[in-house]
Amino acid sequence: MLRRPTPAGRPPARSRTASRAGVLTAALVAALVAAVALAGCSFGRDGSPRPDTGPSVAPTQSELAKSLHVLTSGGYRFKVVAKEGSYTGGVDPVADLLDATVSVTSDGATLKIDTLGVRGSAYTRLTGLPLPGFDGATWFRVDPARITRPGSLGLSATKDPTGVQALIAATHDIRRENRSYTGTVDMTRVTTWGPVNIPQVMQLGDVARRIPFEAVVDDQDRLVSVKVEIPDNPVIATYSDFGTSLTTAAPTGAEPLPDHLYGMLGL
């Protein structure tokens, strides 16, 4: 049977379909990078926390920093929302447990990353990409020794999966009214915050050094929310259920994370 020739300059239908699939995959891979950033907030550029006390720290900033004590003394739940997606879950820094999910959307498709941290061991499950290993059916075991980016997938030796400690340490011009703090954040001192592309923020010039923020504490002076007004992409983090006990356990039958996924996840 003779095949109808393909019009000049127009690829075969199968090639066009493959091309669309490739574009979608590329878009979702880009979303995946954003997702890892969303769950990878970390400290300043030197990889260590900035001091939040001392003579150079304004009293109001010191007060705000003290509101973070509840995030290191027991379990709690968190939610970070930005234009690209959300990062939700629970963490117990004392028991060394994390149970979190990142969801991002790109071109109408949704990508989800589930992460478990269990006393030094890390596991992830990926759903949404038309690629092997992203069907959500398999838990993968992550080798901590191969993670080169601090805080990747929300796993952080500092027990600060949302990166709020570095954010508060980089604040300036803080004012307090009742339970609300306002001021600015020097984003050049923050490696990542939510899915924000920090190099793009740097292109804002001096604006990047004075990004408005607002933080709210409860009647016990515990931090309950932070909003950072990144231009065209405000990021809001909330904290709740202080004292929550997590029952996170290692998934059975977890497989080693394939080599190519370390690179794709930006670990």
Side-chain angles (χ1 to χ4, degrees):
M1 182 176 66
L2 294 176
R3 294 184 179 178
R4 180 179 300 177
T6 301
R10 184 180 181 183
R14 180 177 298 178
S15 297
R16 294 197 303 273
T17 299
S19 178
R20 286 194 296 270
V23 170
L24 175 60
T25 300
L28 282 175
V29 168
L32 175 61
V33 174
V36 174
L38 179 62
C41 303
S42 58
F43 285 119
R45 298 187 181 281
D46 63 358
S48 59
R50 305 288 185 177
D52 56 12
T53 59
S56 63
V57 178
T60 310
Q61 184 191 38
S62 180
E63 291 174 14
L64 180 55
K66 289 178 181 178
S67 73
L68 302 178
H69 75 89
V70 69
L71 305 184
T72 59
S73 59
Y76 61 93
R77 301 201 64 80
F78 60 85
K79 181 175 184 179
V80 184
V81 178
K83 182 169 60 178
E84 288 85 347
S86 64
Y87 176 41
T88 62
V91 60
D92 187 334
V94 177
D96 197 7
L97 299 174
L98 173 72
D99 186 348
T101 298
V102 174
S103 295
V104 294
T105 299
S106 178
D107 291 345
T110 299
L111 171 67
K112 186 173 75 167
I113 303 176
D114 297 312
T115 303
L116 296 177
V118 184
R119 300 180 181 88
S121 297
Y123 307 87
T124 189
R125 180 173 59 185
L126 313 168
T127 308
L129 279 179
L131 295 171
F134 286 83
D135 58 6
T138 305
W139 279 101
F140 295 107
R141 184 174 62 255
V142 181
D143 182 359
R146 297 186 61 179
I147 298 179
T148 60
R149 180 185 178 191
S152 293
L153 294 178
L155 302 167
S156 174
T158 61
K159 313 301 182 188
D160 182 22
T162 67
V164 70
Q165 294 182 30
L167 191 80
I168 298 304
T171 56
H172 296 282
D173 307 321
I174 299 178
R175 298 173 299 280
R176 178 172 184 172
E177 184 175 351
N178 298 323
R179 297 178 186 171
S180 177
Y181 292 85
T182 57
T184 60
V185 178
D186 182 354
M187 294 302 294
T188 67
R189 294 182 57 198
V190 181
T191 305
T192 52
W193 170 246
V196 176
N197 186 322
I198 296 298
Q200 288 184 357
V201 176
M202 297 304 117
Q203 294 177 9
L204 297 174
D206 288 341
V207 173
R209 298 182 181 276
R210 303 184 67 84
I211 302 294
F213 87 96
E214 179 180 5
V216 177
V217 298
D218 64 10
D219 57 1
Q220 298 182 47
D221 276 336
R222 300 176 300 189
L223 183 72
V224 293
S225 70
V226 180
K227 181 178 183 179
V228 180
E229 295 283 359
I230 301 294
D232 299 320
N233 190 13
V235 182
I236 302 174
T238 57
Y239 304 90
S240 63
D241 300 319
F242 303 117
T244 295
S245 296
L246 269 66
T247 57
T248 305
T252 58
E255 301 178 4
L257 184 69
D259 290 342
H260 71 281
L261 290 183
Y262 281 92
M264 186 172 289
L265 289 170
L267 301 178

